[in-house]
């Protein structure tokens, strides 16, 4: 059974509920370890990331809970770092003074909107279409390629252990309305990105939130997960929980999919670092 859930949000960012409620949900789901990973503070206005001023309270709260749950649940202090190359240095300066046990890296922004602000492609389908039109002139392939190029830069950056939702760019592509994952150029982008992950020693996340979303498929898609296994890229299953009840959502589906692909071990965080353990 899968017994870890390292990618979770809470009231410090855009998640619902207290951190302690996620811990209780983890125990109820039979988990042995949980990671707390709020969205890293951003250096421009937004309504979803943690505020830099809340970092000391966030870290102290996780530390307090880690102690009170000792022996029942392993609690790890982490963060989902939003990788935006032009802001990465000042954003890293904000979090660097704190002792995070692990960092998940994710790409949610590409290019800039008409007002000059970084453009997030995953808020709403309407905003996705607006950016596709205004930033990429309606060229889906250019948009998707820019996304994967940014993910490869994140892999090369080297400061995160886990790559979040590798094919997040398919968020609004549930019915294949923008591109086909079978097209050669798309496969080439994914292959180059997987090779960058392998080269960097990154753990790739099997993020079950895609099953909750409009694409109704995990991130990344099953064919990419099989390719990760071919390339011996370590995997970890996460729920990207934004509500306590998401803590192990679609874990049975993820486990069945991994077993079917011949995978029987995932990355687990221990005191000495990440290691592969059978599930
Ligand atoms: Zn994310
Ligand atoms: Zn997340």
């Amino acid at each position: 059974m899968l017994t870890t859930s390292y990618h979770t949000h809470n009231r410090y960012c855009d998640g619902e509920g207290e951190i302690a409620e996620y811990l209780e949900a983890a125990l109820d789901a039979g988990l042995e370890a949980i990671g707390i990973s709020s969205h890293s503070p951003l250096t421009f206005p937004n309504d979803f990331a943690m505020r830099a001023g809340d970092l000391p309270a966030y870290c102290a709260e996780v530390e307090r809970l880690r102690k009170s749950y000792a022996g029942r649940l392993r609690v790890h202090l982490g963060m989902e770092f939003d990788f935006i190359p032009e802001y990465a240095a000042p954003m890293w300066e904000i979090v660097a003074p704190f002792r995070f046990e692990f960092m998940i890296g994710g790409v949610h922004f590409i290019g800039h909107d008409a007002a000059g602000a970084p453009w997030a492609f995953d808020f709403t389908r309407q905003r996705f279409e607006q950016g596709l039109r205004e930033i990429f002139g309606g060229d889906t392939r250019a948009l998707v390629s820019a996304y994967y190029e940014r993910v490869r830069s994140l892999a090369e950056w080297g400061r995160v252990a886990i790559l979040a939702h590798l094919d997040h760019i398919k968020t609004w592509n549930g019915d294949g309305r923008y591109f086909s994952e079978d097209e050669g150029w798309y496969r080439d982008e994914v292959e180059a990105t997987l090779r960058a992950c392998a080269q960097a020693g990154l753990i790739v996340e099997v993020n079950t939130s895609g099953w909750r979303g409009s694409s109704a498929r995990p991130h990344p898609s099953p064919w990419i997960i099989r390719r990760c296994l071919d390339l011996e890229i370590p995997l970890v299953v996460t729920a990207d929980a934004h509500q306590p009840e998401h803590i192990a959502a679609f874990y049975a589906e993820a486990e069945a999919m991994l077993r079917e692909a011949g995978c029987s071990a995932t990355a687990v965080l221990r005191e000495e670092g990440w290691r592969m353990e059978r599930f």
Side-chain angles (χ1 to χ4, degrees), residues 9-16 38-39 47-50 123 242:
H9 298 277
N10 55 70
R11 68 161 178 92
Y12 279 93
C13 55
D14 61 349
E16 290 173 24
S38 281
H39 289 288
D47 58 5
F48 73 94
M50 229 174 118
F123 281 170
H242 282 72

Side-chain angles (χ1 to χ4, degrees), residues 22-44:
Y22 288 79
L23 271 50
E24 285 301 316
L27 285 176
D28 289 345
L31 301 186
E32 295 172 2
I34 183 173
I36 309 302
S37 58
S38 281
H39 289 288
S40 58
L42 300 175
T43 50
F44 50 88

Side-chain angles (χ1 to χ4, degrees), residues 81 92 103-106 154-155 157-163 200-203:
F81 192 86
W92 188 257
M103 283 277 173
I104 301 171
L154 166 57
W157 191 54
R159 289 191 156 146
V160 302
I162 299 175
L163 175 63
L202 269 185
I203 298 165

Side-chain angles (χ1 to χ4, degrees), residues 77-151:
L77 174 62
M79 177 145 280
E80 180 177 9
F81 192 86
D82 220 310
F83 185 70
I84 310 169
E86 61 272 29
Y87 293 92
M91 281 176 53
W92 188 257
E93 265 179 47
I94 294 170
V95 300
F98 299 88
R99 287 176 168 258
F100 292 100
E101 292 177 83
F102 71 103
M103 283 277 173
I104 301 171
V107 172
H108 309 89
F109 291 90
I110 331 167
H112 296 83
D113 64 20
W119 174 65
F121 58 83
D122 62 350
F123 281 170
T124 63
R125 171 169 277 189
Q126 195 187 13
R127 279 189 63 180
F128 174 83
E129 296 206 338
Q130 189 183 4
L132 173 59
R133 236 179 10 251
E134 293 176 0
I135 304 170
F136 295 95
D139 185 343
T140 307
R141 180 171 169 178
L143 186 164
V144 172
S145 296
Y147 168 79
Y148 280 111
E149 193 183 316
R150 189 158 278 204
V151 176

